[in-house]
Amino acid sequence: MSLKVDRDSMAFTFKGGMLPMTVMELASADPERIREQLAGKLSQSPAFFQHTPVVLNVEKLDEPHLALERICAVCRAHKLLPVAVRGGPDPVKQSAWALGLGWFPPQEASRPRSLESVAPDEPTPAEPEAGQATPPAGGRSGRIYRGTVRSGQQVTAPEGDLVVIGAVNAGAEVLAAGSVHVYGALRGRALAGIHGDLQAGIFCRELHAELLSVAGNYKRLEDIDPRLLGTSVQVRLTDNQLGITTLA
Amino acid sequence: MAKIIVVTSGKGGVGKTTSAAAIATGLALRGNKTVVIDFDVGLRNLDLIMGCERRVVYDLVNVIQGEAGLNQALIRDKRVDNLHILPASQTRDKDALTQEGVEKVLDTLGKDFDYILCDSPAGIERGAQLAMYFADEAVVVTNPEVSSVRDSDRILGLLSSKTRRAERGEDPIREHLLITRYNPSRVDLGDMLNLEDIREILAIDLLGLIPESEAVLRASNQGVPVTHDADSDAGQAYTDTVARLLGEEVPLRFHEYQKKSLLSRMFGGGRR
């Protein structure tokens, strides 16, 4: 018996993904008030309401029970497609599932998890970082890190790009909402576009990365063409595929 | 005030205690008043390597818990006058150490000594963190293998974040790389990482390179720090290391494979 997996015969493959998603933060649980506001918005920007998938965020509501079914009906009537609910007490979770919707934990609790889903094996504990980090001149966001990012350290740019002037060693993790630039050897994990920016990229002087990820699409060291190892490369998403090309 | 130097590595079995004993001996032989402290509470080894295991009465934990005075616990080395050993407790565990207690011991020792060497336990837990917390300099002991290099890298990250100097925003700890068990012929064969690869990954100054040597095992089992074995390659390499630690410029030795000459093969080539 062979365990060989024939790619052509597979019905599907699971892939980690981070898609941009509209979150509808409910400040009221009253379906009538939601209807009024939606009707007003629809007349302003009809292009937005094209069966747009939305996540209903009910974290701000302090109600044990919601007329979830009616809220969904109001949304659908205005060409919004509720796909999931975020937050709320247990009864809300149960009724979301009963309506065939997904349920996400509240934002605070889910933040570390969203990282795990991108980097499936062995989440690295966050370590207070060493080295000096300064915002790049002229920009209001992004981050410049000078020095070696060492095993077990995590350097994050929650907004904008991350620039590392030094190497990222094996077992270290660098993350950015925008692109990740490493002016040195990249031996650890690099995750760009952690909030779903598909235009983000990863750039490094010397590629030995354990993991490369752009907006949730990732490649492990094993998946990287060995000929590219040790060269200076850029990593970008093209047609949902992570492409690695040499920087001449 | 004494200079506090931690000898650390992350990974176990790479030669921390051997190096701490050898460097402490070397510093004392050069006329510095030196004390070496075993932080490996529960797995006491330094006293064996220093050959003073039969003279241990009180230990670091006794001092920290106020059961003995520092002078009662300090053991004077038999061979070098100005060298002292503060042994660890074998019956307790690392929880017996407190940050305040360690600070008090180091402050008191600092008044009398030129150098305080802290022999760190393996790992990155409490014992290792306390050993490095008050350090001014660190000797990171690394073997030429990938797991050791990665663990050293992790320790370097902790040195720059979880130490008093880092927390107070003072000048960072001076980090030195000490490569041990280096075997040039196996490096040439590709069995071991080479010197340049290790230096490139860890990106810190090279303090010394100790060749893999029979002299080290012999020294450990005899309880005589290998620095005393001045004929051996490892003993000489540690002497070089100590000189560099004292700021001297000494060329690197023992990092290239020397083919034995016909004569030395015929006559055994002396002791190695």
Side-chain angles (χ1 to χ4, degrees):
Chain A
M1 206 179 88
S2 146
L3 281 173
K4 194 167 152 257
V5 180
D6 183 2
R7 279 195 175 263
D8 296 333
S9 70
M10 284 199 305
F12 63 84
T13 52
F14 276 117
K15 284 199 170 171
M18 288 177 103
L19 305 170
M21 183 71 80
T22 306
V23 176
M24 196 170 159
E25 269 196 10
L26 297 184
S28 161
D30 181 1
E32 277 316 302
R33 284 185 57 197
I34 295 170
R35 182 199 302 279
E36 280 168 30
Q37 200 179 335
L38 272 178
K41 287 256 191 254
L42 181 60
S43 57
Q44 279 170 20
S45 49
F48 180 71
F49 297 90
Q50 295 292 332
H51 300 289
T52 308
V54 292
V55 174
L56 300 173
N57 189 339
V58 299
E59 278 168 64
K60 297 232 167 77
L61 301 180
D62 196 20
E63 303 193 27
H65 293 279
L66 286 176
L68 205 54
E69 198 172 353
R70 285 182 60 201
I71 297 174
C72 288
V74 169
C75 289
R76 290 199 191 96
H78 292 83
K79 289 196 177 174
L80 287 182
L81 216 58
V83 291
V85 174
R86 170 173 246 178
D90 205 47
V92 172
K93 192 202 296 191
Q94 298 298 338
S95 51
W97 286 343
L99 287 168
L101 300 177
W103 185 84
F104 289 108
Q107 201 148 18
E108 261 60 53
S110 73
R111 199 159 279 161
R113 276 193 206 181
S114 65
L115 250 184
E116 273 177 36
S117 65
V118 183
D121 29 80
E122 185 207 347
T124 326
E127 200 69 62
E129 300 112 15
Q132 304 83 40
T134 41
R140 64 181 167 78
S141 58
R143 189 171 174 193
I144 297 178
Y145 182 96
R146 293 170 207 278
T148 308
V149 187
R150 300 196 177 276
S151 187
Q153 291 182 326
Q154 203 178 39
V155 178
T156 313
E159 289 175 58
D161 289 3
L162 174 67
V163 179
V164 177
I165 319 264
V168 176
N169 277 352
E173 200 167 62
V174 286
L175 310 98
S179 297
V180 174
H181 309 256
V182 181
Y183 291 93
L186 172 56
R187 307 185 183 98
R189 296 159 171 261
L191 293 85
I194 52 173
H195 302 318
D197 182 358
L198 302 170
Q199 304 303 314
I202 301 170
F203 309 85
C204 70
R205 275 270 184 81
E206 204 181 298
L207 178 74
H208 299 282
E210 290 172 344
L211 186 95
L212 295 165
S213 164
V214 176
N217 297 272
Y218 64 85
K219 270 194 171 155
R220 301 165 303 167
L221 183 52
E222 210 177 81
D223 312 323
I224 300 172
D225 184 346
R227 281 171 300 185
L228 291 165
L229 297 181
T231 64
S232 84
V233 299
Q234 65 165 327
V235 182
R236 310 210 58 175
L237 265 186
T238 34
D239 305 328
N240 269 329
Q241 287 282 326
L242 209 59
I244 309 176
T245 45
T246 310
L247 288 168
Chain B
M1 274 305 277
K3 197 169 261 180
I4 303 174
I5 304 175
V6 60
V7 180
T8 184
S9 71
K11 193 170 162 60
V14 296
K16 279 183 298 299
T17 303
T18 301
S19 298
I23 293 171
T25 302
L27 285 168
L29 283 171
R30 296 284 303 261
N32 300 287
K33 205 166 177 215
T34 306
V35 56
V36 53
I37 308 176
D38 192 349
F39 272 83
D40 206 348
V41 178
L43 292 167
R44 190 177 86 195
N45 278 168
L46 181 69
D47 52 327
L48 290 170
I49 307 288
M50 297 293 298
C52 64
E53 72 278 10
R54 296 183 190 178
R55 294 192 286 146
V56 176
V57 184
Y58 295 109
D59 54 54
L60 177 63
V61 172
N62 293 136
V63 176
I64 283 178
Q65 304 198 332
E67 296 154 0
L70 247 181
N71 288 330
Q72 290 174 286
L74 281 177
I75 302 172
R76 182 186 286 267
D77 188 68
K78 276 184 291 192
R79 297 174 194 87
V80 196
D81 263 353
N82 43 9
L83 176 59
H84 287 76
I85 299 109
L86 183 54
S89 169
Q90 181 71 355
T91 52
R92 313 292 269 275
D93 60 38
K94 269 101 183 158
D95 295 334
L97 297 177
T98 62
Q99 188 162 311
E100 298 73 30
V102 171
E103 184 173 19
K104 219 174 137 194
V105 168
L106 293 175
D107 279 350
T108 314
L109 289 172
K111 294 184 186 115
D112 289 335
F113 287 89
D114 302 320
Y115 286 95
I116 302 174
L117 264 84
C118 302
D119 178 23
S120 171
I124 53 173
E125 282 76 36
R126 186 176 175 80
Q129 292 202 7
L130 279 173
M132 70 168 70
Y133 187 77
F134 298 99
D136 303 306
E137 302 196 15
V139 174
V140 178
V141 183
T142 306
N143 284 171
E145 52 161 308
V146 281
S147 56
S148 176
V149 172
R150 181 179 293 193
D151 291 0
S152 293
D153 193 43
R154 179 88 168 98
I155 281 290
L156 285 165
L158 295 177
L159 282 169
S160 57
S161 62
K162 297 242 172 133
T163 51
R164 183 165 68 175
R165 281 175 174 269
E167 284 174 8
R168 289 187 179 171
E170 298 169 354
D171 289 345
I173 291 183
R174 277 188 64 195
E175 301 155 336
H176 308 279
L177 174 62
L178 178 63
I179 300 175
T180 55
R181 297 206 169 149
Y182 197 77
N183 185 332
S185 66
R186 296 191 67 187
V187 170
D188 285 355
L189 288 171
D191 292 349
M192 280 186 177
L193 287 179
N194 78 39
L195 177 62
E196 287 314 314
D197 290 344
I198 302 172
R199 285 175 86 168
E200 196 204 313
I201 292 172
L202 295 180
I204 56 172
D205 286 342
L206 182 68
L207 178 71
L209 179 140
I210 314 299
E212 190 167 51
S213 165
E214 292 158 18
V216 172
L217 185 63
R218 186 168 58 233
S220 295
N221 286 326
Q222 290 176 352
V224 184
V226 72
T227 322
H228 287 296
D229 189 352
D231 295 334
S232 69
D233 47 1
Q236 292 170 14
Y238 273 115
T239 304
D240 289 358
T241 301
V242 169
R244 290 190 200 101
L245 197 59
L246 293 170
E248 294 166 25
E249 290 221 1
V250 184
L252 201 61
R253 293 195 272 174
F254 312 113
H255 60 293
E256 275 161 358
Y257 180 52
Q258 308 284 342
K259 276 209 179 112
K260 278 189 177 173
S261 70
L262 183 66
L263 274 179
S264 72
R265 260 186 289 173
M266 282 170 70
F267 297 111
R271 279 172 74 202
R272 285 205 65 201

